[in-house]
Amino acid sequence: MLAPVAALPHYPFSEHRLDNGLRVVISEDHLAPVVAVNVWYDVGSRHESPGRTGFAHLFEHLMFQGSANVARGEHFTTVNAAGGTLNGTTWCDRTNYFETLPSHHLATGLWLEADRMGGLLDALDQANLDNQREVVKNEKRQTRDNQPYGSWLEHLHELCYPPSHPYHHTTIGSMADLDAASLDDARAFYATWYAPDNAVLSVVGDVDTAETLDLANRYFGGIPAKRGFPTPPPTDIERRLGKEVRRTVTDRVPVPRTFVAYRTAPFGSKEFDALQVATTVLGGGRGSRLYKALVLDKQLLQPSDGAVVDSWPFIGGATLTIADLPAREGVDIDVLEAAYHAEVERIASGVTAEEMERAHALITSHWLHHLSSVEGRADTFGQYATLLGEPGLLNEALPKWLAVTAEDVVAVTAAVLNEDNRAVVTFLPDAPDEQEAAA
Amino acid sequence: MTLISQRPPVGTPRPWRFPAFERRTVSGGRVLAAHLPGRPLAVAALVIDAGASAEPLGREGIAELVARALSEGTTTRDSHGFAVAGERLGATWRASTDWDSLRCGFEVPVSGLAAATELLAEAVRDAAFEDDTLARVRDERIDEVSIDLSQPAARAADAFAAEVFGDTSRYRRSDGGDVASLSAIANDDVRGYYADRLNPSAATLVVVGDLESVDVEALGRIVFDGWKDQASGPATSDVSSRAPGRRVVVVDRPGSVQSMLLVGHDGPPRKIDDYVAMTTMALVLGGMFSSRLNLKIREEKGYAYGAFGGFDTRKHGGMFVARAAVQSDVTISALADLVAEIERMHAGGVEPDELEQARAYRAGVFPINFAGVMSVASGLGEIVVHDFGDDHFDELRQRILDVTKDELDASASSRIRPDDLVTVVVGDADGFVTELKSAGLGPVTIVPDEQ
């Protein structure tokens, strides 16, 4: 197997479990005097109760509002005054919190994370909830409701998962459910899911492993284990849609744009890995088939810096592989969509060695790029540990992708990227007079 | 006890300096190289004095078209062939322009650095610029701008620049141009700009990565050997502003659920004596999560997902702007809060603890900001663009640690000009325009949402 690097990277790490069940992953990297501290909680929007969509994300905001020994606002000022950066994110399967710090501030990062893991309720109050509820509603307005094409996620979730499935709704949730969220909901959510035995702490950077483990014990060790979590809503679902489903959305958008989503085996599966390579052959980079056919030769597709086709890393029953197809001005969207499907079908006649070499080289360098920062690596250790139970899978990912063959690409494309397994959402621009009526 | 209430002691800071780099002249060309041991990926990029600020009036956006067209076919291979050649090395091509430079190059596994540098030289020296290709690249760019401008933030930024800067100012239009200026660009304009501006005397090769087994001299020769200047240098830049005074532009978007707010005015260039004081003051106002604007608009009022602001300092000028996307029904209150915070900073300067926070953050974050090869390459690019010395970033960090409250207060007083605030609102005008006219922000002009 030809790889663009002489030796595949292996990132050393050690894995530990504190008495309270907190998993700790430590990976030393002394190239720069910085450290990434990252906590993944095994809770996301798929764990939400009916009528409380958007709650896991709203709760993430509350985690920045102070805790037992951290006053409101101090979480940010403490990290910033240390010369550090921070954030948190929520998605269907998880919630993560992270800061990057000059490495001599490691203990401060651990202390802050421990304080909100064990002591959030001391600071949680109605005023904080009401304020962050408004912030989150404005986040939804800014990133979805007031953006052209901003509803695309919602349409795909609705079309690809039945109402009974926890991926049917988006992570941002609905305005009505956000309005309904109460302080009791927040207390219950915290008591149910936020515990050391439902979390993974990853520390990557210029640290000493033994010292870091001591610090983790010191700051997190006193937080009691919860021992026992509710069974999350069931995610069992067919791995294929079984038919084509379509939705057309007429909206205030500048050009037509189509999203094509396919249901596929979840993150961590062999099929998912094969699809990573297949979608790179198809739509990763400017040397890909879709780029050549749709951007250069036929001039139907508006080029972008990202991949044309990509997959989400969901673990609940089935995940999605999604093609994003914005049309060039004046192009009939149906012509673009047909040309796209034709290119996907053409994979059936085979993939050349040169195409495989290009895909493997791109996947390798993108992976190296992703893992080159301490924050990227800490987050990825947390991802594999939380979603698949094994942080060491980080070192196995690249060999798995490089082992995918041209035959595998042909087979997985035929099995997954076909017309009986796709949801198609097409945005069309409003006619001007319809816009008036809508306003 | 379950939690440790006492804050942890802070360890001893580990020494940090901006990575040492060497300057060489190879085949008459300038080369900057920084050795960062242990990194699997490396960068080879050209920083060229061909930024957007000296583009001809009415044809703004040429530099960006040139940057994009470089990888769209050379005298020896077509666009697809060029892409595949790089991607088979695992190399990622990036090319873009800003106001003061055109930058292009590869991030690539170290083993492919020489081959990627060959491709970089081929793109910059032997670009084919065929008619069909240039027309496609321009039309793609026009479509891209149309899509961008459908987003409230981009539409507001365009309206803001057009109101702040004068009719003959290059800063009046975005550095990538707009639909009108791009539509006016002919293929020969692109070729002419390329011939005039992409010359070895205007270019610097930046190489960053684990250079243990890399022959930097040879990389320099690949790029510069036999490369000759075709024509001479840039025209001068006009970056003039309009007459001072408060005024308001509303871009009317019926049905908007938020109003995009921008408030600010023109500002000074990068090389000024109070650069550190001015930008540290701006950090207190709007550059961090805990800055005044965000604490007020988001954490106190809940009006927006975030509110930020600061100075954009370019080689020849710049601007000061504060921004927030707020729910429509609080448009007037949020504007009043933004303006009040700007006025308060102008009149009263900063508090000692705010200075401490901003200074500690800004000086402390250097090791994080320059941990990777891409960010170090970008830092070297800044050194090239502004002709800074070898110790620039270390000196800058020391200046930040030394800056005083008096210096920040003086910058707040002189650099923020409440009487000249230009306000732009992109939103549903019916909901707020009556109140806006009596808000004390100056005369209000309402424009329809067209490009």
Side-chain angles (χ1 to χ4, degrees), chain B residues 102-439:
Chain B
L102 183 158
R103 304 187 195 194
C104 57
F106 288 101
E107 184 185 26
V108 58
V110 181
S111 58
L113 189 57
T117 305
E118 301 260 7
L119 286 171
L120 168 61
E122 182 181 319
V124 172
R125 296 174 55 170
D126 303 327
F129 287 155
E130 285 170 2
D131 276 331
D132 290 353
T133 305
L134 291 180
R136 174 175 56 78
V137 169
R138 183 192 59 224
D139 291 347
E140 286 171 355
R141 175 77 190 126
I142 290 171
D143 289 359
E144 181 184 11
V145 169
S146 304
I147 293 171
D148 283 350
L149 287 181
S150 67
Q151 296 168 355
R155 184 70 185 86
D158 250 43
F160 183 80
E163 184 57 36
V164 167
F165 296 104
D167 285 339
T168 59
S169 170
R170 174 60 191 92
Y171 289 169
R172 188 175 175 275
R173 282 180 164 136
S174 127
D175 51 356
D178 62 18
V179 170
S181 69
L182 288 163
S183 302
I185 297 171
N187 289 348
D188 279 344
D189 293 327
V190 176
R191 295 187 186 106
Y193 190 90
Y194 169 76
D196 283 346
R197 305 294 301 276
L198 273 71
N199 289 304
S201 62
T204 303
L205 176 66
V206 169
V207 183
V208 179
D210 189 333
L211 306 182
E212 186 68 45
S213 57
V214 171
D215 184 347
V216 173
E217 193 81 11
L219 300 184
R221 280 197 303 272
I222 289 170
V223 170
F224 289 111
D225 238 10
W227 188 15
K228 298 270 191 294
D229 277 26
Q230 295 178 59
S232 63
T236 51
S237 302
D238 173 350
V239 296
S240 58
S241 307
R242 290 186 194 282
R246 286 189 168 190
R247 64 266 195 201
V248 182
V249 175
V250 174
V251 179
D252 188 19
R253 279 195 176 176
S256 294
V257 297
Q258 280 190 328
S259 293
M260 181 73 219
L261 311 178
L262 294 192
V263 181
H265 50 64
D266 61 326
R270 171 63 181 82
K271 279 191 166 173
I272 50 171
D273 289 343
D274 67 335
Y275 173 77
V276 168
M278 179 183 82
T279 47
T280 306
M281 175 272 292
L283 211 52
V284 172
L285 177 67
M288 300 184 294
F289 184 90
S290 305
S291 298
R292 290 181 182 181
L293 296 176
N294 197 53
L295 287 186
K296 172 66 76 177
I297 302 282
R298 169 182 157 130
E299 292 295 288
E300 185 186 326
K301 300 290 185 73
Y303 286 165
Y305 182 38
F308 297 95
F311 289 85
D312 172 2
T313 58
R314 307 161 188 168
K315 206 166 176 175
H316 305 289
M319 60 189 201
F320 161 72
V321 65
R323 56 170 65 85
V326 305
Q327 67 202 66
S328 298
D329 58 355
V330 301
T331 302
I332 298 297
S333 315
L335 260 179
D337 284 335
L338 278 179
V339 171
E341 287 300 340
I342 291 168
E343 288 172 338
R344 180 161 77 96
M345 178 60 81
H346 166 77
V350 304
E351 300 299 325
D353 62 324
E354 291 177 317
L355 166 62
E356 194 45 54
Q357 167 89 9
R359 203 163 48 187
Y361 168 65
R362 205 170 165 205
V365 80
F366 272 71
I368 294 169
N369 282 352
F370 290 118
V373 293
M374 289 294 291
S375 54
V376 170
S378 156
L380 291 178
E382 228 178 300
I383 287 174
V384 169
V385 166
H386 296 291
D387 198 19
F388 291 132
D390 290 3
D391 297 325
H392 167 71
F393 286 107
D394 296 324
E395 288 168 6
L396 178 64
R397 194 176 185 216
Q398 191 56 50
R399 268 297 285 137
I400 291 164
L401 289 168
D402 294 341
V403 75
T404 65
K405 173 172 155 49
D406 285 350
E407 291 177 281
L408 265 65
D409 292 353
S411 285
S413 171
S414 65
R415 298 298 187 184
I416 293 180
R417 309 192 318 269
D419 291 345
D420 294 335
L421 291 177
V422 168
T423 299
V424 168
V425 185
V426 178
D428 190 340
D430 278 353
F432 54 75
V433 81
T434 310
E435 278 184 276
L436 189 56
K437 284 176 177 166
S438 54

Side-chain angles (χ1 to χ4, degrees), chain A residues 239-240 262-266 269-282 309 311 319 321 340 344-345 347-351 356 363 401 404-419 421:
Chain A
R239 286 185 173 176
R240 303 286 182 262
Y262 310 86
R263 229 196 248 168
T264 181
S269 67
K270 207 170 171 189
E271 179 174 292
F272 186 92
D273 287 336
L275 266 172
Q276 295 291 101
V277 181
T279 55
T280 304
V281 169
L282 259 173
V309 198
S311 300
T319 190
T321 294
Y340 162 78
V344 174
E345 282 156 22
I347 291 282
S349 10
V351 174
M356 291 302 292
I363 286 171
W401 291 321
V404 172
T405 65
E407 292 72 32
D408 296 334
V409 166
V410 172
V412 80
T413 302
V416 177
L417 309 183
N418 63 60
E419 64 177 334
N421 183 38

Side-chain angles (χ1 to χ4, degrees), chain A residues 4 65 72 74 78 80 104 111 131-132 138 206 219 252 286-287 302 328-329 354 357-358 365 369, chain B residues 2 4-5 7-8 11 14 87-88 90 107 111 139-140 143 150 254 258 298-299 302-303 305 327 361:
Chain A
Q65 293 291 308
R72 181 163 192 247
E74 272 190 354
T78 303
N80 283 162
H104 63 290
W111 176 74
N131 167 252
Q132 291 303 308
N138 273 309
D206 185 24
Y219 292 109
R252 193 176 309 173
R286 302 203 154 205
Q302 177 66 19
R328 289 283 310 279
E329 179 73 41
E354 187 181 279
E357 188 193 329
R358 188 197 70 91
S365 56
H369 179 90
Chain B
T2 64
I4 308 286
S5 60
R7 288 183 180 238
R14 303 184 193 171
E87 288 168 0
R88 287 180 72 180
E107 184 185 26
S111 58
D139 291 347
E140 286 171 355
D143 289 359
S150 67
Q258 280 190 328
R298 169 182 157 130
E299 292 295 288
Y303 286 165
Y305 182 38
Q327 67 202 66
Y361 168 65

Side-chain angles (χ1 to χ4, degrees), chain A residues 299-384:
Chain A
Q299 304 186 20
L300 303 170
L301 177 69
Q302 177 66 19
S304 78
D305 289 334
V308 181
V309 198
D310 214 346
S311 300
W312 287 348
F314 290 174
I315 55 169
T319 190
L320 300 181
T321 294
I322 301 165
D324 176 4
L325 307 169
R328 289 283 310 279
E329 179 73 41
V331 164
D332 182 338
I333 192 71
D334 296 336
V335 172
L336 168 58
E337 192 193 327
Y340 162 78
H341 293 317
E343 274 311 307
V344 174
E345 282 156 22
R346 212 166 58 79
I347 291 282
S349 10
V351 174
T352 67
E354 187 181 279
E355 286 178 294
M356 291 302 292
E357 188 193 329
R358 188 197 70 91
H360 281 147
L362 265 193
I363 286 171
T364 301
S365 56
H366 287 178
W367 188 240
L368 291 173
H369 179 90
H370 175 67
L371 296 180
S372 67
S373 70
V374 290
E375 49 267 37
R377 214 174 317 150
D379 196 54
T380 307
F381 274 125
Q383 178 185 31
Y384 281 113

Side-chain angles (χ1 to χ4, degrees), chain A residues 3-178:
Chain A
V5 286
L8 294 183
H10 181 88
Y11 298 96
F13 73 97
S14 58
E15 189 184 7
H16 317 268
R17 190 182 284 269
L18 306 191
D19 291 344
N20 60 14
L22 178 67
R23 283 180 287 167
V24 181
V25 179
I26 304 171
S27 177
E28 295 189 25
D29 176 338
H30 302 287
L31 290 177
V34 300
V35 62
V37 174
N38 185 303
V39 181
W40 272 58
Y41 289 93
D42 190 0
V43 59
S45 56
R46 83 172 149 85
H47 300 81
E48 289 162 347
S49 316
R52 290 295 179 273
T53 64
F55 195 81
H57 169 245
L58 172 58
F59 189 85
E60 176 220 307
H61 279 241
L62 299 177
M63 287 280 278
F64 290 91
Q65 293 291 308
S67 47
N69 300 292
V70 179
R72 181 163 192 247
E74 272 190 354
H75 197 96
F76 283 95
T77 55
T78 303
V79 172
N80 283 162
T85 59
L86 69 163
N87 215 333
T89 74
T90 309
W91 208 0
C92 294
D93 293 322
R94 51 78 175 161
T95 312
N96 58 3
Y97 302 86
F98 45 89
E99 38 276 317
T100 308
L101 294 155
S103 44
H104 63 290
H105 287 289
L106 166 65
T108 299
L110 297 178
W111 176 74
L112 284 168
E113 289 300 348
D115 206 62
R116 60 182 171 184
M117 180 184 285
L120 188 81
L121 292 188
D122 295 10
L124 186 64
D125 63 22
Q126 188 68 44
N128 283 345
L129 172 62
D130 290 341
N131 167 252
Q132 291 303 308
R133 186 205 320 276
E134 292 309 308
V135 170
V136 166
K137 286 164 70 178
N138 273 309
E139 179 179 357
K140 176 167 153 56
R141 292 185 187 105
Q142 182 177 330
T143 60
R144 313 287 158 89
D145 305 346
N146 209 36
Q147 283 292 326
Y149 317 104
S151 60
W152 71 277
L153 279 170
E154 210 175 310
H155 295 301
L156 289 186
H157 278 270
E158 283 175 13
L159 285 180
C160 296
Y161 297 99
S164 59
H165 195 280
Y167 292 153
H168 182 70
H169 71 274
T170 60
T171 301
I172 199 76
S174 78
M175 288 295 196
D177 287 358
L178 288 168

